[in-house]
């Protein structure tokens, strides 16, 4: 960017933002089934946006300077604790930061020389990220390939003297099923190891689904052996990004998540989160959203979400060649294809204005498409099913993606670190992916098929190079 010599008018800037967003997925309306959460209630979103702007320039670094931050956080964290079995919490920027703090607290409490985490293969990559940053190793254990839930016996077998934390998901993101939290927490407790429940997706959904009449298994801090829990309010709390809470059953463990430093001649530093200076805008947005919707609003949204999820699962069962994976208790639905290439289906749906999130095969779980059902989905579920059926038919007619012979082996054998970004961009162009600025969204079936055929380490290397080229 060339910095202008003089300031530009607000109208020009907003017009430029509109131009920059022309290829973005829409954040409202329910046709994007990942990344965004829509209530379908404009008044709630407006309340959040105005509160966010009001708190935008308040710095949450020093709560003694801005007591509004303390009061708002007490209210928001208190609401989450009241719903999820009590505890002592921290407001964070999102699920990854909440998980990072939970892992840090467990590591610093146990003080092992070679600490490790025991997680299901379906656990969110944030645990791998936290382990990478904090110097732990990850022991990933299998899930049952019929239910997609972690097996408590596999968890028990993976625990050793260096295990500092055991993880269960409520639900796991890939298939939307709730791990057997009661059993996993009991296994952890018997070994003297803390147990974290990743309820980033389900924490602010499952209790309201239960209140709306859905069958929801126990999963929160009221379960014996559960010592911490993460809950994202920018998911089914419908707050603006980024808003999450991590709860600890023991306040001493929460203190292990904090960081303090007085070993320099400047101001004293004490942080409850990974970040230091940070805007209180997300906190204001979350606080306003909770107040704007209230208990009744969340129950109504949960009831609509539950109804939409049931209609979606039933509708998918009627589409030839498609099958839902597992029996999700939440509002996350994943489906695989038999004789239907799901990556091609996703491209066909995108061409019809709908985004379905591709998920690669892993650990015996087939490639599939993921749908996050939200409060606005019920009004559009029949339209979504129509598009999915049409797209499945088109994918069946097109047949599976056929890769050039030797392409997967070529990519797997490449020393990607030896390639410049320009050379990698040329390689991407050879399989139909244009990474030039402003090129819009390419068809991704070929790319996803290549990635799906690669081992995880090669996938990750390709993705890192993709990001490097994208940002230039």
């Amino acid at each position: 960017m060339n910095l202008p010599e003089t300031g530009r008018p607000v109208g020009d800037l907003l017009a430029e933002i509109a131009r920059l967003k022309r290829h973005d997925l829409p954040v409202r309306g329910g046709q994007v089934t990942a990344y965004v959460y829509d209530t379908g209630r404009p008044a709630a979103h407006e309340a959040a946006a105005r509160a966010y702007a009001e708190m935008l320039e308040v710095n949450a670094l020093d709560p003694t300077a801005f007591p509004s931050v303390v009061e708002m956080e007490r209210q928001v964290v208190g609401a989450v604790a009241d719903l999820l079995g009590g505890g002592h919490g921290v407001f964070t920027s999102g699920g990854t930061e909440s998980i990072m703090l939970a892992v840090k607290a467990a590591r610093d409490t146990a003080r092992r020389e070679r600490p490790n985490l025991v997680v299901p293969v379906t656990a969110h990559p944030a645990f791998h990220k936290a382990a990478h940053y904090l110097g732990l190793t990850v022991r990933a254990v299998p899930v049952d390939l019929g239910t997609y839930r972690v097996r408590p016996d596999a968890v028990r077998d993976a625990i050793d003297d260096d295990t500092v934390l055991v993880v269960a998901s409520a639900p796991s993101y890939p298939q939307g099923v709730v791990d057997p939290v009661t059993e996993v927490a009991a296994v952890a407790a018997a070994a003297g190891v803390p147990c974290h429940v990743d309820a980033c997706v389900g924490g602010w959904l499952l209790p309201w689904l239960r209140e709306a009449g859905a069958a929801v298994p126990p999963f929160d801090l009221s379960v014996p052996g559960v010592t911490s829990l993460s809950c994202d309010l920018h998911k089914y709390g419908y707050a603006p990004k980024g808003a999450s809470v991590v709860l600890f059953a023991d306040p001493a463990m929460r203190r292990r998540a904090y960081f303090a430093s007085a070993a320099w001649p400047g101001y004293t530093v004490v942080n409850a989160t990974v970040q230091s200076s940070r805007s209180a805008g997300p906190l204001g947005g979350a606080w306003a959203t909770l107040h704007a919707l209230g208990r009744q609003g969340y129950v109504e949204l949960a009831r609509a979400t539950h109804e939409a999820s049931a209609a979606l699962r039933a509708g998918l069962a009627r589409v030839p060649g498609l099958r839902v994976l597992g029996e999700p208790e939440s509002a996350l639905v994943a489906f695989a294809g038999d004789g239907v290439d799901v990556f091609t289906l996703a491209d066909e749906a995108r061409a019809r204005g709908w985004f379905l999130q591709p998920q690669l095969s892993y650990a015996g779980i087939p490639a599939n498409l993921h749908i996050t059902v939200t409060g606005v989905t019920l009004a559009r579920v029949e339209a979504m099913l129509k598009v999915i059926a049409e797209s499945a038919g088109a994918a069946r007619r097109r047949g599976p993606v056929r890769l050039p012979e030797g392409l997967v082996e070529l990519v797997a054998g490449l020393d990607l670190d030896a390639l410049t970004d320009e050379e990698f961009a040329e390689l991407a162009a050879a399989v139909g992916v244009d990474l030039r600025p402003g090129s819009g969204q390419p068809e991704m079936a070929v790319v996803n098929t290549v990635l799906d055929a690669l081992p995880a380490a090669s996938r990750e290397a390709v993705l890192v190079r993709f990001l490097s080229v994208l940002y230039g």
Side-chain angles (χ1 to χ4, degrees):
M1 181 184 86
N2 293 320
L3 194 65
E5 285 296 324
T6 59
R8 296 171 60 185
V10 172
D12 286 357
L13 297 177
L14 294 177
E16 179 72 1
I17 290 173
R19 185 191 68 80
L20 293 171
K21 290 176 63 179
R22 68 190 185 280
H23 294 304
D24 284 6
L25 296 170
V27 298
R28 298 281 178 262
Q31 290 183 218
V32 175
T33 64
Y35 311 127
V36 295
Y37 294 77
D38 187 5
T39 63
R41 302 183 179 200
H45 294 296
E46 173 68 14
R50 294 183 67 175
Y52 194 114
E54 185 66 27
M55 298 296 290
L56 181 64
E57 296 184 60
V58 173
N59 190 344
L61 170 64
D62 185 350
T64 66
F66 302 101
S68 61
V69 171
V70 176
E71 183 55 33
M72 278 189 173
E73 182 161 338
R74 281 177 174 168
Q75 290 186 30
V76 170
V77 170
V80 176
D82 285 347
L83 195 68
L84 297 176
H88 310 266
V90 178
F91 183 86
T92 77
S93 65
T96 294
E97 189 175 24
S98 288
I99 287 167
M100 190 81 69
L101 294 177
V103 172
K104 178 188 180 299
R107 184 200 66 177
D108 291 359
T109 298
R111 299 186 181 278
R112 299 288 189 267
E113 285 190 18
R114 292 181 293 276
N116 67 67
L117 308 175
V118 173
V119 307
V121 295
T122 50
H124 196 277
F127 290 99
H128 295 261
K129 188 175 185 178
H132 177 74
Y133 283 3
L134 297 172
L136 295 86
T137 58
V138 175
R139 295 188 169 190
V141 300
V143 297
D144 182 278
L145 293 181
T147 66
Y148 303 100
R149 298 180 179 91
V150 72
R151 302 200 317 263
D153 61 320
V155 173
R156 181 184 298 109
D157 293 344
I159 295 173
D160 67 10
D161 291 341
D162 289 320
T163 301
V164 301
L165 189 65
V166 165
V167 173
S169 303
S172 57
Y173 185 85
Q175 281 75 50
V177 299
V178 177
D179 284 328
V181 171
T182 299
E183 292 85 347
V184 171
V187 165
V193 176
C195 178
H196 180 84
V197 173
D198 175 15
C200 286
V201 176
W204 203 258
L205 171 67
L206 294 173
W208 306 116
L209 285 176
R210 183 186 288 132
E211 194 162 328
V216 174
F219 72 93
D220 61 19
L221 282 175
S222 65
V223 175
V226 173
T227 55
S228 58
L229 178 147
S230 47
C231 168
D232 285 3
L233 294 175
H234 61 215
K235 292 187 171 74
Y236 284 99
Y238 297 102
K241 305 279 193 276
S244 180
V245 169
V246 57
L247 294 174
F248 297 94
D250 183 351
M253 197 167 189
R254 180 178 66 168
R255 291 194 294 272
R256 295 291 188 186
Y258 293 166
F259 172 81
S261 179
W264 79 312
Y267 63 91
T268 53
V269 173
V270 57
N271 302 140
T273 68
V274 175
Q275 302 173 82
S276 291
S277 284
R278 62 194 190 280
S279 170
L283 175 61
W287 177 88
T289 304
L290 297 180
H291 281 280
L293 289 170
R295 294 185 62 89
Q296 182 178 344
Y298 282 114
V299 172
E300 290 170 353
L301 287 166
R303 188 173 291 115
T305 301
H306 185 55
E307 186 178 341
S309 299
L312 177 61
R313 293 196 299 271
L316 288 169
R318 294 192 296 268
V319 179
L322 302 185
R323 59 186 174 89
V324 173
L325 299 178
E327 296 181 4
E329 296 98 337
S330 62
L332 309 180
V333 178
F335 64 93
D338 297 314
V340 176
D341 186 314
V342 291
F343 299 143
T344 302
L345 192 162
D347 280 351
E348 290 286 344
R350 180 66 186 268
R352 291 165 171 80
W354 289 76
F355 178 83
L356 310 176
Q357 187 179 48
Q359 299 189 136
L360 305 179
S361 61
Y362 187 72
I365 302 171
N368 60 84
L369 298 180
H370 182 279
I371 294 173
T372 299
V373 178
T374 68
V376 78
T377 304
L378 184 59
R380 307 298 305 277
V381 69
E382 292 304 324
M384 183 193 302
L385 286 167
K386 182 175 183 292
V387 166
I388 291 173
E390 290 175 354
S391 301
R396 190 181 295 106
R397 290 189 295 273
R398 286 174 58 175
V401 171
R402 300 193 184 281
L403 300 175
E405 187 174 351
L407 176 61
V408 172
E409 292 76 14
L410 171 66
V411 174
L414 282 174
D415 179 3
L416 291 176
D417 287 335
L419 295 180
T420 66
D421 281 352
E422 292 75 15
E423 289 168 337
F424 183 83
E426 290 175 4
L427 178 64
V431 294
V433 180
D434 188 351
L435 297 178
R436 291 174 301 179
S439 60
Q441 175 68 31
E443 287 200 344
M444 294 296 293
V446 171
V447 176
N448 284 321
T449 302
V450 172
L451 289 172
D452 199 59
L454 294 171
S458 296
R459 293 174 180 175
E460 291 163 2
V462 170
L463 291 169
V464 166
R465 292 311 303 269
F466 175 85
L467 194 65
S468 179
V469 173
L470 197 63
Y471 281 99

